[in-house]
Amino acid sequence: MAGADVRKERLDRGIKVRTSGIYAISGGKEIGYLILPRLVLIAGLLLLPLVVTNPYWQRVISIVGIYALLALSFDFLTHYVGLVSLGGAFFVGVGGYLAALLNTKLGLSPLFSIPLATVGGGLFCTLAILPCLPLRGVYFSIVTLMYPLLAMRVIEALNIFGGTEGIMGVASFPNRWVEQYSLIVVLLLALFGLRRLVNTDLGLVFRAVKDNDQAVKASGINITHYKTLAVFISASLACLGGAYLVHIYMWAGISTLALDFSIIPIAATVIGGGGTLVGPVLGALILVPISELLRAFGTLRIVFYALILMAFIVFRSEGIMVYAQRKYHQFEKWVQV
Amino acid sequence: MSGPPLLEVQNISKAFGGIQALSGVSFNVHSRDIFGIIGPNGSGKTTLVNSITGFVRIDSGKVNFQGREISNLPPHKIADLGVTRTFQIMRPYYSLPAYKNLIIPLFSPRARRTGGWRGGGKLGDRDTVGIDILEEIGFERDSQVPYKLASTLPTGYLKRLELARCLALRPELILCDEVFSGLSMSEIASMLPLIERLQMEGITLIMIEHRLKELFRVANRVLVMNFGQKLIEGSPEEVMADPKVKEAYLGSEDLSDYV
């Protein structure tokens, strides 16, 4: 087709009015055009538990949901506040242990232990991270990386919370429908809630702290307050993931503090497209099943996993969602020259 | 000038390691002054602004604003009192449209109290207030300019955006760190009336400048800095006539000084 007398023309769709962030909508077609991708995501996630029949893969759905929450928490804090936290595993562990303790010691059902672990764990993690908030860039990352390592060794050395054995006998969900649908609904609420938040005036202050914290200070705003609030939001989401994890596996142990929970969400964010919020969810949806499929390769699993990650980063370094969003808003056609 | 000074800088000093950036600088700025600060590169002008606004801690000395000591308060507290600053290297929020840049200062406690530049104690819708401020400062409302990403704006608009960010707080005092540098003659010519209008409205300005001709047109007091010290202070005419100033800028005319 690409002969001498035709060329490819690329246009932005008319709907994208040239004032970034503001869309002028002028009819049903355009509304449909904007709603379609959201609908596909919502319907797709809600159908997932129905179409997957294999019990093993049904469990994977829940794990995907948990990693999606963690990736969302990482993406928000990194790309909207500028704090690159490697302490995701710490958040998961705190949420997990808290939920397990609330359930086994106080006898609270998951209906109460999960929300309490979310908020309480968020508060605890925020207080723990508070001394690091003046740090910027790689210094913040390195210090937050120490938290899960530290917590793991403290639990081991002091033999608290069951030590290396962990806390057993944590209540599970009544059935898989409650487990999966509550998780999917919570995930969707978190995703759309965060997307809304980052475009409110409060969200703009978060983004300004990332862009340029000096100018925010010069505007009479105490940036420590806003960093604290952002860490609380992010930590709460990850604690929520941790609480789910513990109730699904019916066990809380030091492996909930494993660095996988810090690293895999970052990989999911990179693959999905950082700063899009929906990208990390998509990334988790791709990465976690791939990781399960690769179990067939035994020890070589990590090798293939790393190769896939590298290929993604080399060939689509912007991330799937960034690429997809750009393509969705453009259309190409061949025109006669 | 009668009445107590708005800003009193008393004998402040600051060293970065072995480099004495400021040594014993004192001056007073009165309400409605346009107070110029000039000096060769490296003479401590920006450090002076950073010290007054709390971005660096001073080693000794005192800064009073409206009779209250503000030395070494954190920057956001100083800004909250109405002492704002622009940055020499412009610091807009590049990922946001121009008018959204003003949401951040309008979100501050001070803007909520004062209502912004023209708010009269009540803060309206932040988007509207932001666009109003941009219009007053020279962003054409009906053009696309206020809605463009800050990263796509030319220098002239970015300098105005820096000022707008200060004005959104309804400040008492603005410290302008080289707002004219990098601007064309016509852009500067259009900024000067704005500066004068701010003075008429009762906003006090401290202006660090290298563009002496333009500065001397608007300033009523000028402080000359050299090697972190105050060289002289006076009216623009006095400063221009002083041989020490020429020496600081152009080097000594008499070689025997060095021998």
Side-chain angles (χ1 to χ4, degrees):
Chain A
M1 179 104 193
D5 51 351
V6 286
R7 68 184 163 86
K8 210 177 197 180
E9 192 177 68
R10 181 180 287 166
L11 295 167
D12 273 355
R13 288 186 197 272
I15 188 169
K16 209 177 165 204
V17 176
R18 291 264 63 88
T19 54
S20 45
I22 299 173
Y23 293 88
I25 296 169
S26 61
K29 200 177 153 200
E30 270 109 354
I31 293 173
Y33 171 76
L34 283 179
I35 284 181
L36 186 69
R38 291 160 174 78
L39 219 58
V40 168
L41 179 78
I42 296 170
L45 283 178
L46 288 178
L47 281 176
L48 218 49
L50 290 173
V51 293
V52 177
T53 48
N54 178 327
Y56 176 76
W57 286 99
Q58 282 169 354
R59 177 50 52 84
V60 174
I61 296 175
S62 304
I63 305 303
V64 166
I66 288 166
Y67 274 112
L69 277 174
L70 303 184
L72 209 51
S73 142
F74 174 80
D75 192 32
F76 168 69
L77 203 56
T78 302
H79 292 103
Y80 290 92
V81 195
L83 295 170
V84 184
S85 160
L86 298 180
F90 179 68
F91 301 157
V92 174
V94 169
Y97 269 103
L98 197 54
L101 288 172
L102 286 170
N103 180 255
T104 54
K105 303 275 183 238
L106 299 181
L108 294 177
S109 74
L111 182 63
F112 296 104
S113 70
I114 291 178
L116 278 176
T118 304
V119 177
L123 282 173
F124 179 84
C125 294
T126 310
L127 283 176
I129 298 279
L130 215 51
C132 314
L133 282 187
L135 300 177
R136 286 197 288 184
V138 71
Y139 302 100
F140 181 80
S141 310
I142 290 299
V143 175
T144 48
L145 177 63
M146 296 302 139
Y147 279 82
L149 303 176
L150 207 74
M152 198 187 273
R153 297 299 160 232
V154 166
I155 289 172
E156 211 172 45
L158 301 181
N159 203 19
I160 44 173
F161 309 137
T164 44
E165 304 253 295
I167 303 171
M168 292 191 244
V170 181
S172 69
F173 292 89
N175 56 55
R176 75 170 184 98
W177 302 107
V178 175
E179 172 189 316
Q180 289 166 1
Y181 274 108
S182 66
L183 185 54
I184 287 172
V185 168
V186 160
L187 173 65
L188 285 171
L189 285 178
L191 171 63
F192 287 103
L194 275 185
R195 273 170 63 112
R196 188 156 283 211
L197 172 72
V198 296
N199 286 314
T200 60
D201 290 353
L202 173 64
L204 291 183
V205 174
F206 287 148
R207 288 155 72 179
V209 170
K210 184 205 173 203
D211 254 17
N212 191 338
D213 57 350
Q214 299 285 309
V216 180
K217 285 185 198 166
S219 298
I221 289 177
N222 186 346
I223 61 168
T224 311
H225 285 174
Y226 290 93
K227 283 186 182 175
T228 310
L229 180 59
V231 168
F232 173 71
I233 294 170
S234 172
S236 295
L237 278 179
C239 286
L240 176 63
Y244 260 101
L245 190 77
V246 162
H247 279 293
I248 288 171
Y249 282 128
M250 299 167 16
W251 175 77
I254 50 175
S255 64
T256 55
L257 291 158
L259 279 186
D260 292 23
F261 294 118
S262 290
I263 305 303
I264 293 175
I266 300 178
T269 306
V270 170
I271 284 179
T276 58
L277 294 177
V278 66
V281 174
L282 211 65
L285 209 56
I286 295 170
L287 265 190
V288 177
I290 286 183
S291 155
E292 295 300 324
L293 284 175
L294 290 175
R295 281 188 196 281
F297 293 97
T299 331
L300 282 177
R301 171 172 167 241
I302 297 298
V303 175
F304 285 108
Y305 195 65
L307 282 176
I308 292 171
L309 267 181
M310 279 154 72
F312 258 116
I313 291 164
V314 171
F315 296 112
R316 271 280 97 78
S317 55
E318 58 189 355
I320 294 166
M321 260 326 278
V322 179
Y323 175 78
Q325 276 176 348
R326 197 175 64 239
K327 286 292 167 193
Y328 189 67
H329 288 297
Q330 287 170 344
F331 63 101
E332 288 168 349
K333 60 175 180 178
W334 293 98
V335 289
Q336 296 283 330
V337 180
Chain B
M1 285 282 170
S2 57
L6 184 72
L7 181 81
E8 296 166 82
V9 176
Q10 294 169 2
N11 208 21
I12 62 170
S13 297
K14 171 73 193 173
F16 294 109
I19 298 162
Q20 194 69 33
L22 292 175
S23 39
V25 180
S26 302
F27 62 90
N28 287 339
V29 179
H30 289 84
S31 193
R32 289 181 178 236
D33 270 353
I34 294 185
F35 191 93
I37 298 178
I38 64 170
N41 287 329
S43 59
K45 305 183 296 292
T46 296
T47 306
L48 192 57
V49 170
N50 285 340
S51 308
I52 295 170
T53 51
F55 279 86
V56 303
R57 292 184 68 84
I58 53 176
D59 300 333
S60 63
K62 222 170 126 178
V63 182
N64 288 345
F65 176 70
Q66 291 177 328
R68 183 188 157 176
E69 183 170 355
I70 60 167
S71 355
N72 292 336
L73 282 181
H76 68 268
K77 289 218 170 118
I78 294 178
D80 196 60
L81 294 168
V83 181
T84 60
R85 64 168 302 178
T86 69
F87 290 93
Q88 182 179 3
I89 303 156
M90 295 159 291
R91 294 176 182 272
Y93 309 114
Y94 283 111
S95 64
L96 300 180
Y99 79 105
K100 289 282 187 195
N101 267 258
L102 296 187
I103 299 290
I104 288 91
L106 289 173
F107 201 81
S108 68
R110 183 177 172 85
R112 288 165 197 243
R113 280 200 310 274
T114 60
W117 190 14
R118 297 273 190 264
K122 195 170 178 305
L123 185 63
D125 172 56
R126 291 194 188 90
D127 285 356
T128 320
V129 175
I131 291 177
D132 287 347
I133 292 175
L134 284 182
E135 186 182 31
E136 291 223 32
I137 205 161
F139 283 64
E140 299 80 5
R141 178 189 287 269
D142 297 325
S143 71
Q144 294 286 321
V145 187
Y147 308 99
K148 278 190 176 165
L149 282 185
S151 54
T152 64
L153 289 177
T155 314
Y157 281 111
L158 289 179
K159 293 275 182 185
R160 285 167 191 269
L161 194 56
E162 284 277 311
L163 260 183
R165 202 190 61 226
C166 297
L167 289 170
L169 292 180
R170 197 188 179 91
E172 307 283 335
L173 172 66
I174 306 179
L175 292 95
C176 303
D177 199 350
E178 300 198 14
V179 279
F180 292 158
S181 67
L183 297 189
S184 70
M185 294 308 279
S186 64
E187 281 173 323
I188 293 176
S190 69
M191 286 277 269
L192 287 175
L194 175 69
I195 302 281
E196 282 168 337
R197 209 171 84 220
L198 295 181
Q199 184 190 25
M200 301 271 284
E201 285 179 19
I203 294 174
T204 310
L205 289 125
I206 294 179
M207 299 186 70
I208 290 189
E209 271 312 325
H210 279 299
R211 308 291 291 253
L212 302 190
K213 201 176 118 200
E214 289 81 9
L215 178 68
F216 287 173
R217 263 183 57 194
V218 289
N220 59 336
R221 299 283 297 170
V222 175
L223 168 77
V224 187
M225 302 271 301
N226 198 21
F227 296 116
Q229 287 170 330
K230 174 170 158 179
L231 197 62
I232 69 161
E233 183 193 334
S235 67
E237 295 76 22
E238 288 165 354
V239 166
M240 263 195 287
D242 197 286
K244 278 191 287 185
V245 177
K246 203 179 280 179
E247 190 183 309
Y249 266 89
L250 302 173
S252 172
E253 285 173 289
D254 191 348
L255 274 177
S256 65
D257 284 358
Y258 293 103
V259 181

